[in-house]
Amino acid sequence: QKEVEQNSGPLSVPEGAIASLNCTYSDRVSQSFFWYRQYSGKSPELIMSIYSNGDKEDGRFTAQLNKASQYVSLLIRDSQPSDSATYLCAVRGDKIIFGKGTRLHILP
Amino acid sequence: DGGITQSPKYLFRKEGQNVTLSCEQNLNHDAMYWYRQDPGQGLRLIYYSQIVNDFQKGDIAEGYSVSREKKESFPLTVTSAQKNPTAFYLCATQETVSYEQYFGPGTRLTVT
């Protein structure tokens, strides 16, 4: 059974600090990795895609991928209260699998 | 204005009734997906379609049916055979090259 694991949280981070969200996956042949943000009652919104080892930065967001360790993370710099949401990790091998998400709470 | 529309936003039905959820897209994506999300749960794949007139069962297809007669449309029917139909239903399209999935706003179905 291919799995994508995330800590459910909640992860509480002070405003202005760095939030670090982690995800591990079991399928070694996975090639595509995605982070989605989902506000309560809303649908998921794509934040970042990453396909190769290393870091990928987009504004305040940085995705980090380590295929050897089967680990992908999302860093949010200068966290804002509007970043409070559930963050879903998705991994694609022969099909896309979503983790259950980590709830992030930014403390004003 | 490109995007994915799902209607209605909220839907209430009595047990034993079939109901059809609409999903329309103008992103020109070939692949479309249906997921359900229950409180505190991840997304579970119901059905997907890679191309018009073709679709495959996902992990939890029992009690659901779909059609894909047009590229733009992928309606989902929740039948009376679905044991626990109350959930948040999400339609998504997928880009061919990047495999990025984009979601519609969702339909929240309540069956009593």
Side-chain angles (χ1 to χ4, degrees), chain A residues 46-85:
Chain A
L46 180 67
I47 301 174
M48 296 277 289
S49 308
I50 187 166
Y51 303 94
S52 54
N53 281 329
D55 294 0
K56 179 182 178 183
E57 186 175 317
D58 184 1
R60 295 187 296 114
F61 299 99
T62 299
Q64 299 176 317
L65 176 60
N66 184 327
K67 290 185 179 179
S69 301
Q70 295 174 238
Y71 177 94
V72 57
S73 64
L74 179 71
L75 302 178
I76 307 175
R77 289 183 299 282
D78 187 24
S79 296
Q80 303 296 311
S82 59
D83 295 325
S84 296

Side-chain angles (χ1 to χ4, degrees), chain A residues 25-55:
Chain A
Y25 59 94
S26 62
D27 185 0
R28 287 193 167 274
V29 299
S30 298
Q31 295 297 319
S32 308
F33 307 84
F34 310 95
W35 282 101
Y36 288 83
R37 177 177 61 200
Q38 186 175 22
Y39 292 115
S40 181
K42 302 295 186 182
S43 62
E45 173 193 7
L46 180 67
I47 301 174
M48 296 277 289
S49 308
I50 187 166
Y51 303 94
S52 54
N53 281 329
D55 294 0

Side-chain angles (χ1 to χ4, degrees), chain B residues 2 4 11 20 39 42 78-79 103 108:
Chain B
I4 305 165
L11 191 53
T20 297
V78 184
T79 75
F103 288 85
R108 199 166 296 277

